[in-house]
């Protein structure tokens, strides 16, 4: 198991933004985590409790901290760039074949895992869904 380098993603995104500002992509998609806050730094109770339990058991989650820094950076930069962004916040994933239809939720993550294939299918559809641009949707399924 490799150690996570603190600040890895925020450093990478900060390097990308000047380049993207020059080429003006149609969308910048960033995939964070269901444990992350939104633009207003709000996090649902379920995610907050899970985060706190995880921090108690294994120390501060540097990935979540890094994703939150990226989200805040993207919000700050949105006034200075000519391209939209989307930050998806998927839940727990598992291996297997696609079997769930996933959708965006602005308020709550799901406690039920879904497959990487399900997430890929959702993400491809989300790229074409302009109402999700400049938003931070959770990716949720319909249960088991």
């Amino acid at each position: 198991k490799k150690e996570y380098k603190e600040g890895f993603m925020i450093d990478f995104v900060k390097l990308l933004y000047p380049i993207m500002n020059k080429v003006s992509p149609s969308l910048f998609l960033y995939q964070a985590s269901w444990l992350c806050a939104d633009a207003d730094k709000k996090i649902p109770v379920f995610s907050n409790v899970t985060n706190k339990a995880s921090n108690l058991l294994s120390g501060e989650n540097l990935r979540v901290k890094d994703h939150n820094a990226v989200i805040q950076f993207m919000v700050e930069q949105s006034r200075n760039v000519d391209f939209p962004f989307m930050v998806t916040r998927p839940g727990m994933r598992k291996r297997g074949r696609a079997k769930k239809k996933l959708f965006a939720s602005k308020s709550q993550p799901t406690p039920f895992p879904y497959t990487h294939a399900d997430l890929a299918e959702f993400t491809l559809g989300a790229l074409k869904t302009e109402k999700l641009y400049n938003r931070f949707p959770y990716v949720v399924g319909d249960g088991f």
Side-chain angles (χ1 to χ4, degrees):
K1 183 176 176 180
K2 292 185 179 182
E3 292 294 317
Y4 185 77
K5 181 183 176 270
E6 187 170 358
F8 173 76
M9 287 309 298
I10 186 62
D11 291 346
F12 179 67
V13 170
K14 283 181 175 180
L15 288 173
L16 275 181
Y17 255 68
I19 297 165
M20 289 190 301
N21 206 25
K22 286 181 181 175
V23 298
S24 196
S26 55
L27 175 69
F28 176 49
L29 173 70
Y30 183 81
Q31 195 162 76
S33 163
W34 66 286
L35 299 174
C36 294
D38 63 14
D40 297 324
K41 300 181 182 178
K42 293 179 184 170
I43 185 168
V45 172
F46 179 63
S47 296
N48 201 16
V49 169
T50 303
N51 245 342
K52 288 185 186 316
S54 174
N55 289 346
L56 284 173
L57 295 172
S58 59
E60 185 177 24
N61 189 330
L62 296 179
R63 283 183 178 87
V64 171
K65 182 179 175 184
D66 204 13
H67 287 315
N68 283 333
V70 170
I71 289 168
Q72 289 308 307
F73 175 79
M74 290 172 70
V75 169
E76 292 163 9
Q77 292 300 308
S78 66
R79 299 175 206 92
N80 305 322
V81 295
D82 293 328
F83 57 88
F85 66 84
M86 181 189 319
V87 178
T88 59
R89 295 183 285 168
M92 296 177 283
R93 284 154 331 263
K94 62 182 179 181
R95 293 177 189 217
R97 295 183 179 178
K99 58 183 175 181
K100 283 187 188 180
K101 176 81 172 156
L102 302 178
F103 53 94
S105 170
K106 64 181 181 179
S107 61
Q108 289 292 327
T110 181
F112 304 109
Y114 41 79
T115 67
H116 294 278
D118 292 327
L119 179 58
E121 187 175 317
F122 166 84
T123 302
L124 289 172
L127 292 172
K128 302 175 205 161
T129 310
E130 288 188 24
K131 70 179 183 177
L132 295 177
Y133 289 13
N134 300 320
R135 301 282 185 265
F136 308 85
Y138 289 103
V139 182
V140 298
D142 56 1
F144 301 101

